[in-house]
Each structure stands twice: as C-alpha cells, then as structure tokens.
Amino acid sequence: MAKLIVNNSGPLHGEVLISGAKNAVLPLMAATLLTDEVCIIDGVPDLADVKVMKGMLENFGATVKDDGHGLLEIQASEIKTVQGDRDLVTEMRASTVAMGPLLARCGKVIMPLPGGCAIGKRPIDLHLKGFKALGADVVEDYGNEQVIITAGDEGLIGDAIYLDFPSVGATENILMASTMAAGTTIIENAAKEPEIVDLANQLNKMGAKIKGAGTDTIRVTGVKKMGGSIHSVIPDRIETGTFMLAAAITRGDVLVKNALPGHVRPIIAKLKECGVEVDVVDDGIYVNARDKELIATNIKTLPYPGFPTDIQSPFMAFLTTVKGSSEVKETVFENRFMHVNELNRMGADISVENRVAYIPGGKKLHGATVRATDLRAGAAMIIAGLAAEGKTEVSDIYHIERGYEKFVEKFAGLGATLTRVED
C-alpha cells in the first residue's frame, strides 16, 4: 500500500491548474449509455474513480477510447448486459448513476448495492422513489444485495416527483431516466449543484429537452431517441477549494487557475471572514494569506449553494491554526467527522458533540502517522501536514487518488515537500 510523506513546506507560492470535476464527469460518462451514437467528453481527469466508471461502461458493452490527454470517446452501440458488475459497483458509490440511463434505454437494470467512502448512510431510496414515480417496478433483493428495476409495459411515463432531500445522485438518475420517458417529468426540490447543470447541458446536446437545471424545479420533456454529443467537463470546485485552503493554512499565496468563482462563493466568503485575501482575477482566484492576522469563523455545511460538505474537513484543518474558537456543524452526512481523531493526533484538540465539532484554534500542529479516512479527509491530512512541524505520514491514500488528479505533482509545483512512497 502506498502512503504520502509530508513535511512542513513553508508558505506555498505559485500557480496551480484545476482539473475537470470528478463529481461532474462520472454522470457525464454514465449518460453516454442513453445512446448508440458516439459521445466525446473533454477535460476528463485521470482519477481512480474515472477508471472504475470506464470499467462499468465496458461491462455494459460500451467502447471507451482514451487519448491519454483527458479526452474520452465513448460509444455504447449495443448494451450487452443491464447487470452492474458487483466488484466495480461496490468499489464506487457513484456507479449507481448508470441506473437511470440503462432504465431509460433498455427498460431494465440490475444494480448491486453501492460502495464508496464510509462518510455515512447514503441510501438510494430517493433514486428508487423517482423510478417508481416514472412507472417502474422496483424489487429490492436484499438476499442478493441488489435492486432490480423494470419499466412498465409502456415504458417510463413522466410524472411530478418531489425529493424529500435535494440529493445530487437522485436528481442525476431521475434526470437521465426521464429524458426518454413519455410526456413531461417535473423534479421538485432538485439538487442545484453545478454538476447537475453540467449534466443537463450535455443531455440537451444529446437531444434531451431539459429546463430549470440549477434551480429547485427541473422540467424534462421526453424524447424518442438520444444522440451523440461533444462536451467539456466543468472545473472541479472541490479541488479549487482544497488548493485555496492549502494556500491559507501555509500562509502562502497561490493563483488557482481554471477555477469558476461562482461555484465556490461560500469558500471565498468564509476565507475572507478569517482574514485571508481572496481576489477574483481574469485567469482564476488569487489567495493570499501572507503576513495576515487570521481569525476564527464558524461553518455549517449545506446542500449547494451552501457551504460544501466536501470542503468541511480541509477547512477544519485550516481552522486549527487560526486564533480563536470555531464551530463546524455538519448537516449533510452523519459520519463526516472521522478525520477529527486524525487531526487530534497532530495536536488539534478538537471535540465533537452530535454533529458539531469544536475547534479551539491557535494550535501549532506537529507531524504524526495518520490515515485518510475518506477522500476529502485525506486532503485535509495533507494540508495539515504541510503546516505541521516535522514529518507526517498519511496512509490509505487510495481515497485521495480517487478524486485528485496529479495530486503530488500539483503540490510540488507550489513548493510543497510531498512524496508518494510504496509501503
């Protein structure tokens, strides 16, 4: 197993280029199952999760050509099976986004129960509720740990669907399933994330008729057939936030290029509250924490456009180093404080009560042997190690490699002392 060795690196400085968004590209890839025509996706990051999704598509019968420079050419001219590969599905929760397009195109899908980061319960009940509203029959086969979803004799039929929670995955799945459903589908209390808008843009290029993506009400008018498309992935807002916080925690200055400020407004606002200089410039976002008197703030995670849960752990790492006490309230996932124990190994002294973490702040972190308990917690351990005295060893880095492209190279380009070693 590989691990990352991190040493105090002083203030980071320079420019970093943000890759395509992991959370956008996976549903974009799944959407190609809706058509037998060629779909081209550009700006695809080289990530472990992308490799899993390639395997998923190939299992279903698609051909995936990768030019090695971020461009995928995908054609599912024939669907050979509607059953998800158990090993791949249990490796990555996002594999469930294949359910919607397969159901729409083939009228049936059999999906093993998903895996992914252990950050809390992420059931697919809202996905299944949406499919049922479209007229599908859903059998939850717990004995074989799978769900069997079958469209009615007349195919999927559009309907009004209210989501009890604005789930990103459920919104994506229902959106794709409804593209070829008869009539009109209205998704209420839909997720508003930029990744939803990106998916809708690609689907519209493929011939779908979708309006309202990015709002809480999305209207889909079904079409008979979907076609090919050419689409570029949006920049990764979570990677953007990670490098913004890396600049802040090391008291450095970094230009984060290919970043969309509108996608990270809550992060910009909270960093400014802490005293960090954040400027939107022509080619990205400039973050400067050099010689700043940084102070504490409180954060509360919320669905978009609120503060992103995926940035909670890196922001908490930063808050351990500023003056004053902070509170971090997690409202999206019930088990997203596993990184607290790891930060405490480094001297953070954080306490947790229910879903609130209390951070005393003003701590001088020290190096330690820690784990990446999930994808974003892994990034938090790295940036904490950059600011800590001594050496930090981070294990279980396969989590990090699921979601960050050229992680070591990008940090090294900013002056970080970060090495990947085989254990």
Side-chain angles (χ1 to χ4, degrees), residues 401-422:
E401 292 171 347
R402 284 183 47 227
Y404 290 94
E405 181 180 43
K406 298 179 180 176
F407 190 77
V408 173
E409 293 91 331
K410 288 185 180 184
F411 271 105
L414 298 173
T417 308
L418 179 61
T419 308
R420 185 185 190 277
V421 297
E422 292 294 335

Side-chain angles (χ1 to χ4, degrees), residues 56-73:
M56 285 283 297
L57 297 180
E58 289 167 345
N59 171 71
F60 293 127
T63 300
V64 183
K65 297 179 182 177
D66 186 343
D67 77 343
H69 301 285
L71 189 143
L72 296 183
E73 182 180 304

Side-chain angles (χ1 to χ4, degrees), residues 77-313:
S77 55
E78 178 186 357
I79 301 297
K80 296 178 180 178
T81 179
V82 294
Q83 183 154 5
D85 180 277
R86 185 172 299 276
D87 290 339
L88 293 173
V89 174
T90 52
E91 190 173 338
M92 183 183 71
R93 177 182 168 75
S95 54
T96 56
V97 293
M99 293 191 295
L102 285 173
L103 183 62
R105 181 171 170 186
C106 304
K108 185 173 183 178
V109 59
I110 302 171
M111 188 64 65
L113 297 178
C117 284
I119 57 175
K121 295 177 182 177
R122 290 189 281 178
I124 57 172
D125 57 329
L126 292 179
H127 306 235
L128 303 182
K129 174 184 176 180
F131 296 148
K132 288 176 183 177
L134 296 174
D137 177 65
V138 176
V139 176
E140 299 180 58
D141 181 2
Y142 293 111
N144 293 306
E145 298 185 335
Q146 63 185 14
V147 291
I148 304 167
I149 309 162
T150 310
D153 293 339
E154 298 180 5
L156 299 178
I157 309 295
D159 199 355
I161 301 167
Y162 177 83
L163 296 178
D164 299 321
F165 178 83
S167 161
V168 174
T171 301
E172 291 167 342
N173 251 326
I174 298 166
L175 193 57
M176 289 186 278
S178 62
T179 55
M180 292 192 283
T184 300
T185 300
I186 298 172
I187 309 171
E188 297 181 281
N189 198 29
K192 305 175 187 177
E193 273 75 358
E195 295 80 11
I196 300 290
V197 177
D198 203 32
L199 175 61
N201 288 341
Q202 183 200 33
L203 292 171
N204 283 338
K205 290 176 183 178
M206 296 171 68
K209 295 181 179 179
I210 300 167
K211 294 182 179 179
T215 75
D216 59 7
T217 303
I218 303 175
R219 180 182 293 267
V220 186
T221 303
V223 298
K224 295 289 186 183
K225 181 177 171 59
M226 297 283 279
S229 64
I230 300 174
H231 188 76
S232 294
V233 187
I234 58 172
D236 195 311
R237 61 193 172 96
I238 307 304
E239 184 188 16
T240 298
T242 300
F243 279 101
M244 292 171 69
L245 285 160
I249 198 171
T250 63
R251 308 305 192 258
D253 64 305
V254 172
L255 175 60
V256 185
K257 303 181 74 172
N258 191 38
L260 294 178
H263 291 177
V264 291
R265 286 194 185 101
I267 305 170
I268 292 174
K270 287 297 176 181
L271 281 174
K272 284 184 173 180
E273 285 180 20
C274 293
V276 179
E277 176 189 341
V278 184
D279 296 315
V280 175
V281 295
D282 289 342
D283 49 356
I285 303 170
Y286 176 67
V287 181
N288 181 15
R290 287 183 181 271
D291 303 319
K292 307 294 183 184
E293 188 70 25
L294 302 186
I295 58 172
T297 192
N298 298 329
I299 63 173
K300 177 182 179 181
T301 66
L302 291 165
Y304 190 87
F307 191 94
T309 181
D310 280 352
I311 286 295
Q312 178 254 101
S313 47

